[in-house]
Amino acid sequence: MGIPISIDIRDAPDERTAGEAMSAAFEVLRSADERFSPFRSNSELRRYERGETTASADLVEVFEIARWAGIASSGAFSIHAPDGSLDTNGVVKGWAAQRAAEELLARGVRNFCLNAGGDVVTHGEPEPGRPWRTGVRDPGDPRRVVAVVEQHDGAVATSGTYERGAHVWDGRTGGPARTLVAATVVADSLTTADVLATCVLVLGPEGVAWAIGQGARDAFAVLPGGGVVTAGAQVQLPAGVA
């Protein structure tokens, strides 16, 4: 996927079980990249686009998630790139990472943290009585965090322009999203969190409250000037951040 991915398992009964669970989870991610990457000419996505194959059940599911996001955001979210080609990365990254987390659960792992390029799925706790803590980096300084999310079971996703530039487009105009520097969403699943974070980045400050109405537990966004727009109370902002 072109991103660093790590899995922290805290409760496997032995190294073999942990290794097998991690291998299965990474296989889910590798498969998703091979099948749905817009950069692979022989991926299922590109072959479907050329009319060489019908959509599998998984690709149909990805399309349905994208369709829902497009309707809910009044067209702001779209998997049709400005050049007209299909690009499902706005759905597949979170969807695949969530599936990888479910693979860990299916293999009996209950306490883990899966980090896919800064988008995080957690389950259980790192040690008895303590929730997982996910730091969200400051877009202007990678050495600082702009917020910390504490939770046991859930997901955190951030969409931003501070590393890859204005790479997220507005489905309504075809132009790049520039109103926000970053948008973070906390949700039950990374599928939801990732899609909603992308929507918020496009919708701008008003998208923060909108995300809560679409299933987010919490959401916040960073403005170009460094200010933060918040919607809930789960996110902990360091002193001086407003």
Side-chain angles (χ1 to χ4, degrees):
M1 289 186 173
I3 56 174
I5 299 174
S6 64
I7 302 175
D8 181 353
I9 294 177
R10 296 298 179 96
D11 69 341
D14 52 61
E15 289 188 8
R16 178 179 178 181
T17 300
E20 290 175 349
M22 291 180 71
S23 294
F26 278 115
E27 181 55 35
V28 169
L29 296 164
R30 279 191 291 268
S31 176
D33 181 53
E34 291 174 359
R35 296 174 63 193
F36 306 129
S37 171
F39 308 112
R40 296 173 182 265
S41 62
N42 64 338
S43 68
E44 179 184 340
L45 176 69
R46 285 290 175 253
R47 288 186 289 111
Y48 169 82
E49 192 172 40
R50 294 193 297 265
E52 297 172 2
T53 186
T54 57
S56 65
D58 286 345
L59 185 55
V60 168
E61 183 177 339
V62 168
F63 286 158
E64 283 301 308
I65 294 169
R67 179 175 176 273
W68 167 81
I71 293 173
S73 65
S74 299
F77 184 93
S78 176
I79 58 172
H80 290 89
D83 64 3
S85 65
L86 288 172
D87 186 338
T88 57
N89 281 350
V91 175
V92 169
K93 178 186 173 186
W95 174 84
Q98 181 63 41
R99 282 198 161 196
E102 291 165 2
E103 186 67 32
L104 294 174
L105 289 169
R107 291 173 177 269
V109 178
R110 291 292 177 267
N111 299 291
F112 64 84
C113 174
L114 187 156
N115 187 328
D119 293 344
V120 175
V121 184
T122 60
H123 199 277
E125 51 192 14
E127 59 187 45
R130 184 167 69 86
W132 292 96
R133 303 180 79 240
T134 302
V136 181
R137 64 155 285 189
D138 183 337
D141 185 350
R143 299 168 298 180
R144 298 179 64 247
V145 295
V146 71
V148 176
V149 179
E150 292 189 348
Q151 61 182 348
H152 292 273
D153 305 345
V156 184
T158 298
S159 183
T161 62
Y162 49 90
E163 287 190 343
R164 296 174 57 195
H167 67 287
V168 176
W169 63 89
D170 186 332
R172 300 165 297 188
T173 66
R178 299 183 183 276
T179 308
L180 299 173
V181 177
T184 297
V185 169
V186 183
D188 292 343
S189 77
L190 193 53
T191 304
T192 300
D194 192 26
V195 170
L196 291 182
T198 300
C199 289
V200 174
L201 190 71
V202 176
L203 291 170
E206 64 273 18
V208 173
W210 169 87
I212 300 299
Q214 302 302 321
R217 294 180 185 173
D218 209 339
F220 72 94
V222 180
L223 301 167
V228 178
V229 179
T230 62
Q234 185 171 351
V235 171
Q236 300 176 21
L237 299 177
V241 175

